[in-house]
Amino acid sequence: MKKNGKKLNKNLKTAVIIIAVLLVVSIAFAVSFAEFTKSSRAKRVVATYLTGGATFSSNYLVPNNNTAANVYKRFFYTSQLELGATGTVSVCNYPQGDPGKYYEKNIIYRLTAKIVKVTENNGVVSKADATASQVGDMTVTLTFKGGTPVTLSSSNLSNDFGTSTLSCLSAATDLLDVSFSADFNDNAEGLCLYVCATPEPPLPNINTIDAVIIPTLSVQEAKNNWEGSFNENTSNPISGYDGFNYVISGTGTGTCTLKWRSDKLKISQVFLNEISGTEGTETIGGNTWNTLEFDVDSDLVNRYDLQFYFCDGVSGTILSWDELTGTTGDNPTTGYVTLTYEE
């Protein structure tokens, strides 16, 4: 009887443990499901880019699944005929403007560059390797990741920089500095620089990125400027939204100051965590505004995507898009978000 009693107690304890484990798992699942359903509406009304973007990206190069047929043109500008165009090409493991969503694996890629001739026939753009006679005295100086400069010329029409790795441990960016000789500004051959970054080996959801970079003489130097705007379909009633997408984009280097009414809107904490800026407050028209000051450089990042959400109790009290964004005209209003830029 004692043996049977001990066996019964042992079985009872085992049953109790199993029930307890199942109960914990059920509670965890219920909490997870509740958290998902609570956040589902916000994810629906805030923009589609939250579902992802090209996590192998560049400020100039473009995802291309057919590099032989598709030609994407990008431009470096110079304001003087005797001054060669310069610029910096980035290669990143995150969508442009969103370094918090870097790729989950190391990206090993090969970077190549060459001088090419671009032609256009009936709207179709094509490229071909340039010849030494076409290049003549023209040169392009390339510096990858701060290393030894490489000069492309009639005697060295292309260069393979080998492979580079963007680590999966954090947001990572490699930079290629490009400097054209002034001869490119008025060349009649349509010569330019082709840059291509190819993952090796291929990775899921990662495409080769490339572009032809064309040095262009601008009659008037492009004005440095950064602007911010809401990126929503204003034909829909504002009452259907819990949050709003805001895009900051521009050209040049300097400092942006973002301000928003602290009693109306709150900013995405993810964005605050990802960007290195100085936060503060300011009183404008008797109202308190939050402020964020941060440095910008379009050669590194030329666009930022972030979100604003209603403060508690505010949803339904903002009745129109004009009230949110501000209006122009005889009686302009500032809205609830502003952005200023200083070179």
Side-chain angles (χ1 to χ4, degrees):
M1 290 294 292
K2 287 184 179 180
K3 288 184 179 180
N4 291 337
K6 288 182 178 180
K7 186 175 181 180
L8 180 60
N9 288 337
K10 185 176 180 180
N11 291 339
L12 181 60
K13 289 180 180 179
T14 302
V16 170
I17 291 172
I18 292 173
I19 292 171
V21 170
L22 291 175
L23 182 60
V24 169
V25 172
S26 299
I27 293 173
F29 177 81
V31 171
S32 299
F33 182 77
E35 287 299 319
F36 176 81
T37 53
K38 277 197 302 182
S39 62
S40 64
R41 186 174 180 227
K43 289 183 178 179
R44 175 177 57 81
V45 298
V46 176
T48 54
Y49 69 76
L50 291 175
T51 60
T55 47
F56 184 50
S57 70
S58 169
N59 58 345
Y60 283 99
L61 309 184
V62 180
N64 192 347
N65 57 12
N66 189 346
T67 58
N70 301 328
V71 179
Y72 297 100
K73 296 191 291 184
R74 294 294 182 264
F75 299 90
F76 281 4
Y77 293 95
T78 178
S79 59
Q80 301 176 40
L81 185 62
E82 65 276 11
L83 183 66
T86 61
T88 300
V89 176
S90 67
V91 180
C92 312
N93 66 345
Y94 55 84
Q96 290 295 290
D98 196 359
K101 297 179 181 177
Y102 48 86
Y103 195 67
E104 66 271 15
K105 297 181 180 180
N106 287 346
I107 299 178
I108 303 173
Y109 70 95
R110 181 174 298 276
L111 185 72
T112 58
K114 60 183 177 180
I115 301 177
V116 298
K117 179 177 180 178
V118 171
T119 57
E120 185 169 347
N121 185 22
N122 295 324
V124 178
V125 180
S126 59
K127 67 180 186 297
D129 292 352
T131 64
S133 60
Q134 289 171 336
V135 173
D137 295 330
M138 300 179 194
T139 61
V140 188
T141 302
L142 308 171
T143 305
F144 184 48
K145 297 168 61 173
T148 302
V150 174
T151 299
L152 302 186
S153 63
S154 58
S155 59
N156 181 36
L157 295 170
S158 64
N159 189 73
D160 184 340
F161 291 94
T163 58
S164 182
T165 301
L166 298 171
S167 172
C168 65
L169 299 179
S170 63
T173 300
D174 290 340
L175 300 178
L176 175 69
D177 295 318
V178 180
S179 179
F180 290 93
S181 66
D183 312 69
F184 274 93
N185 293 339
D186 61 351
N187 85 87
E189 296 284 353
L191 298 182
C192 54
L193 177 71
Y194 175 68
V195 179
C196 180
T198 306
E200 293 185 355
L203 291 168
N205 302 315
I206 297 294
N207 285 324
T208 292
I209 54 177
D210 73 345
V212 292
I213 299 175
I214 303 172
T216 301
L217 180 65
S218 176
V219 176
Q220 183 177 3
E221 187 175 5
K223 179 178 175 57
N224 291 344
N225 190 42
W226 284 76
E227 297 178 337
S229 62
F230 285 96
N231 185 26
E232 304 293 354
N233 183 356
T234 56
S235 63
N236 295 327
I238 195 171
S239 58
Y241 290 76
D242 291 328
F244 309 93
N245 297 298
Y246 193 80
V247 176
I248 299 172
S249 60
T251 302
T253 60
T255 302
C256 282
T257 302
L258 180 66
K259 301 179 182 180
W260 64 98
R261 275 274 297 269
S262 59
D263 61 327
K264 299 292 186 180
L265 300 171
K266 52 187 176 182
I267 198 171
S268 166
Q269 190 62 44
V270 174
F271 176 71
L272 293 180
N273 292 340
E274 291 171 355
I275 197 164
S276 177
T278 302
E279 298 179 56
T281 60
E282 184 176 329
T283 300
I284 304 175
N287 298 305
T288 300
W289 291 64
N290 289 327
T291 65
L292 176 67
E293 186 178 283
F294 58 98
D295 295 331
V296 290
D297 183 346
S298 59
D299 282 341
L300 302 179
V301 178
N302 58 12
R303 175 184 171 115
Y304 296 91
D305 295 278
L306 58 140
Q307 298 83 43
F308 285 100
Y309 302 94
F310 287 128
C311 290
D312 293 341
V314 172
S315 180
T317 65
I318 298 178
L319 303 179
S320 69
W321 290 104
D322 284 347
E323 181 183 354
L324 174 70
T325 63
T327 60
T328 59
D330 295 335
N331 298 296
T333 60
T334 59
Y336 298 135
V337 179
T338 65
L339 182 84
T340 56
Y341 165 69
E342 183 177 347
E343 290 189 58

